[in-house]
Amino acid sequence: MAIRGTASLYDASTDCRANISVCDGGHSVHAGFNTLFETLKSELAPLLSSLKPHATVHCVGHSLGGAVASLVADWAKRRFDVNVKLYTFGAPKVGLTNFALSTTNALEPKNIFRCVNGGDIVPIVPFWPFMQAPYNAPEYKMDNNQIIAPWHHLMKYYTRNSQKQSWDSINKRVTFNPFKRVTLDIAHATQVQPSIYWMNRLSEALMTVLRQAKLGALNALQSGTANGLGLYDKIAMILANNNFHTVDLTGPINGLLACMLAFAGYARTKIKELSAEFIKWVFEKTLQMVNRIAQKALSAVD
């Protein structure tokens, strides 16, 4: 099953709309991707039902197609008596931890081939708390580029990088480790660049700070329980409220915000107070920068 990728401005806007909905398996996923997947289910179900028991289904997609292929693969494995292999190229992250773990456990890492060009930003979005499958397992790194290059999202670059390579010869690497302890300080801000490396480090540093905050804060954020508040409203409130912290997090929070500001192009902005309003503003500017770069990549495909 080959699922086409981004092919219109509507699809491009769907790629970056990171609201959360519940997928067929009961897990939290990107609402835009899930909506597209739901339109395909009625057409795919008869085909999957007609297959012989234990037939192998190959789900393949590039860009948005890879995100939808991930949802198809997870659903097909759970609902039908088939073996499933998933191949994605430049696919964005589809869901939160519960979905990434479900797909990884259902298909097993050996059957998930997540291919990423080094300069392609699309596989890094949406920003945390979205996670990729296979969860905390190696991706297939098609090249070693660390500088963001929007045109590297094009399928022709994936085709070029895959020529004369086998699955065994392609470099496999875990580029984002949700359990890695990363603590940033203000001095690190001078090193920050709009790169794949720093996008991953900012996410890991954010998760480190939240793990150091009040027990259960990280799980509560990922579960979507919010009393009507948005995700980054909640994060800002937790970081700004010392009553949530089991240790003094002033230094790590200042360092994280300084590095986010540098990434977003606001390196000269001074951190005067750790209010929820200011922290949310920093997140907004960081996400705006991420989405601007991602849109360049998606528009190159259009």
Side-chain angles (χ1 to χ4, degrees), residues 41-55:
K41 279 172 60 178
S42 61
E43 297 180 43
L44 296 178
L47 173 62
L48 290 167
S49 297
S50 69
L51 297 175
K52 294 179 180 180
H54 309 302

Side-chain angles (χ1 to χ4, degrees), residues 22-298:
V22 178
C23 70
D24 183 90
H27 301 121
S28 303
V29 298
H30 185 289
F33 303 155
N34 197 37
T35 297
L36 292 177
F37 163 64
E38 288 292 334
T39 66
L40 298 176
K41 279 172 60 178
S42 61
E43 297 180 43
L44 296 178
L47 173 62
L48 290 167
S49 297
S50 69
L51 297 175
K52 294 179 180 180
H54 309 302
T56 299
V57 177
H58 300 268
C59 299
V60 186
H62 168 248
S63 190
L64 174 62
V68 178
S70 299
L71 287 161
V72 172
D74 180 73
W75 168 71
K77 182 64 178 178
R78 286 184 294 99
R79 297 287 183 176
F80 302 91
D81 187 13
V82 293
N83 299 314
V84 179
K85 293 182 181 291
L86 172 63
Y87 311 82
T88 64
F89 299 86
K93 293 179 281 189
V94 176
L96 304 191
T97 299
N98 55 8
F99 176 77
L101 281 171
S102 169
T103 302
T104 302
N105 292 334
L107 273 63
E108 299 182 29
K110 66 180 181 180
N111 293 317
I112 303 174
F113 301 83
R114 178 175 169 85
C115 301
V116 176
N117 280 341
D120 186 1
I121 190 176
V122 173
I124 311 298
V125 297
F127 207 55
W128 186 86
F130 287 82
M131 297 287 181
Q132 69 268 23
Y135 183 77
N136 199 30
E139 302 173 316
Y140 286 84
K141 301 296 293 184
M142 310 303 288
D143 60 41
N144 295 318
N145 187 30
Q146 283 287 340
I147 304 300
I148 294 173
W151 56 91
H152 281 199
H153 183 60
L154 292 170
M155 190 62 209
K156 69 179 183 180
Y157 285 95
Y158 280 95
T159 302
R160 183 195 68 181
N161 287 340
S162 65
Q163 290 175 347
K164 299 181 181 180
Q165 294 197 78
S166 67
W167 291 116
D168 291 331
S169 67
I170 298 173
N171 184 28
K172 293 178 281 293
R173 187 164 71 240
V174 177
T175 55
F176 173 73
N177 183 348
F179 305 108
K180 185 176 181 180
R181 182 185 176 93
V182 174
T183 302
L184 301 173
D185 59 44
I186 292 178
H188 285 120
T190 59
Q191 306 169 24
V192 175
Q193 302 175 33
S195 66
I196 304 295
Y197 171 84
W198 276 105
M199 286 186 66
N200 285 320
R201 296 299 78 75
L202 291 175
S203 289
E204 290 169 347
L206 173 59
M207 294 188 73
T208 299
V209 168
L210 289 170
R211 276 196 298 270
Q212 293 173 314
K214 189 174 181 180
L215 184 65
L218 192 59
N219 291 333
L221 285 168
Q222 297 192 89
S223 70
T225 58
N227 296 324
L229 293 174
L231 173 66
Y232 292 101
D233 290 302
K234 291 172 60 184
I235 292 175
M237 290 177 63
I238 289 173
L239 296 184
N241 189 343
N242 286 326
N243 293 327
F244 279 101
H245 306 166
T246 56
V247 295
D248 183 11
L249 297 177
T250 303
I253 293 173
N254 278 330
L256 172 64
L257 296 178
C259 290
M260 283 188 162
L261 286 168
F263 180 90
Y266 290 81
R268 296 184 179 180
T269 301
K270 301 296 182 182
I271 301 174
K272 297 180 180 179
E273 60 176 351
L274 293 180
S275 66
E277 292 76 15
F278 177 75
I279 295 172
K280 185 185 176 185
W281 179 82
V282 174
F283 277 112
E284 288 175 349
K285 295 305 177 186
T286 303
L287 293 170
Q288 285 172 9
M289 172 62 79
V290 171
N291 285 338
R292 278 199 300 271
I293 300 170
Q295 284 287 6
K296 287 183 181 179
L298 293 167

